[in-house]
């Protein structure tokens, strides 16, 4: 294995906004993954959790993936080498922590509470949130419990007017996230069925927040 490919870059990954037009939905994950956004530099692009997310956004008419993506592994490094980039409409994508957390440059770890609640990180999320609000934001979709907690705090802090954007938390689309939130903790359920239901639910959430064409 190429040692450089295995190492975590750990650079900030900027949120993905539409080049033009409104932003109705902001999808927020926990942090960029080591094989995905850490290498592609684009939220969720190549992350394991990103594949069902991008499929749901495509189904909602909110995203186009380059055709070349289907011929490649779902891997951020490959996407970066081929200079591939998704196009989003009406939605923006980001993370509660904007870089891949690691202690040694090799192994991913969850972002710490201190990292998530640092003044720098909260200010960054607030700027992204206000930018989305200025473009018509109506809904924040948090993927997983950590992202939901962080976004709830920031939305409350940043709301200087009486009108707040709505926040909806959905399970993280990882196997652990899907099984832990399924009825009876997923006992007897097929993971493929839970994943398909997650994609349908997210597609419906996004569609419901976009104006009818």
């Amino acid at each position: 294995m190429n040692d450089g490919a295995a190492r975590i870059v750990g650079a900030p990954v900027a949120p993905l906004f539409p080049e033009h037009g409104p932003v109705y939905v902001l999808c927020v994950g926990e942090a960029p993954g080591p094989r995905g956004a850490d290498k592609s530099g684009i939220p969720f692009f190549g992350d394991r959790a990103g594949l069902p997310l991008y499929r749901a956004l495509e189904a909602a008419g909110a995203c186009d993936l380059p055709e070349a993506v289907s011929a490649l592994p779902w891997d951020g490094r490959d996407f970066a080498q081929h200079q591939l980039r998704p196009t989003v409409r009406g939605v923006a994508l980001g993370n509660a922590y904007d870089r891949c957390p690691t202690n040694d440059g090799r192994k991913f770890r969850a972002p710490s509470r201190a990292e998530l609640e640092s003044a720098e990180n909260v200010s960054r999320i607030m700027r992204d949130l206000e930018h989305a609000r200025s473009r018509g934001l109506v809904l924040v979709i948090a993927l997983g419990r950590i992202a939901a907690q962080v976004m709830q705090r920031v939305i409350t802090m940043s709301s200087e007017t009486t009108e707040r954007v709505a926040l909806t938390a959905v399970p993280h689309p990882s196997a652990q996230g899907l099984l832990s939130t399924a009825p009876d903790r997923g006992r007897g359920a097929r993971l493929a069925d839970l994943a398909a239901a997650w994609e349908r639910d997210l597609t419906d959430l996004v569609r419901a927040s976009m104006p009818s064409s």
Side-chain angles (χ1 to χ4, degrees):
M1 178 183 292
N2 184 321
D3 186 64
R7 291 193 65 82
I8 291 174
V9 177
V13 175
L16 177 63
F17 276 83
E19 187 173 350
H20 305 289
V23 173
Y24 303 110
V25 178
L26 173 61
C27 296
V28 181
E30 183 175 341
R35 293 191 58 180
D38 180 64
K39 302 296 189 295
S40 69
I42 299 169
F44 299 100
F45 200 41
D47 288 344
R48 186 175 300 176
L51 183 55
L53 172 62
Y54 277 110
R55 282 197 299 237
L57 294 179
E58 280 192 302
C63 174
D64 291 321
L65 292 175
E67 288 186 14
V69 165
S70 61
L72 294 170
W74 184 258
D75 184 88
R77 179 170 171 262
D78 285 342
F79 296 159
Q81 287 180 338
H82 288 81
Q83 298 182 335
L84 301 179
R85 186 178 182 87
T87 301
V88 291
R89 292 179 299 277
V91 302
L93 309 177
N95 281 290
Y97 191 62
D98 69 345
R99 61 201 73 189
C100 184
T102 180
N103 290 330
D104 58 6
R106 293 179 180 276
K107 187 176 179 181
F108 173 87
R109 61 166 172 80
S112 68
R113 181 173 180 178
E115 288 168 331
L116 291 167
E117 295 183 357
S118 71
E120 178 185 7
N121 193 59
V122 171
S123 295
R124 174 193 60 81
I125 300 173
M126 199 172 295
R127 287 193 302 270
D128 294 342
L129 180 65
E130 291 308 314
H131 177 57
R133 286 180 59 147
S134 73
R135 296 174 65 172
L137 182 67
V138 296
L139 177 66
V140 174
I141 301 176
L143 279 62
R145 178 178 57 84
I146 299 300
Q149 290 174 347
V150 172
M151 294 310 299
Q152 179 63 67
R153 179 170 182 249
V154 174
I155 287 171
T156 301
M157 291 174 58
S158 67
S159 183
E160 297 180 356
T161 66
T162 57
E163 190 173 336
R164 295 181 181 177
V165 299
L167 171 65
T168 295
V170 300
H172 193 278
S174 64
Q176 180 181 357
L178 293 173
L179 291 170
S180 65
T181 55
D184 202 22
R185 298 189 69 81
R187 195 168 289 114
R190 293 178 62 241
L191 185 59
D193 293 337
L194 295 175
W198 186 94
E199 285 188 34
R200 289 194 300 270
D201 290 345
L202 192 70
T203 297
D204 290 344
L205 270 175
V206 173
R207 279 180 176 160
S209 301
M210 307 271 275
S212 302
S213 54

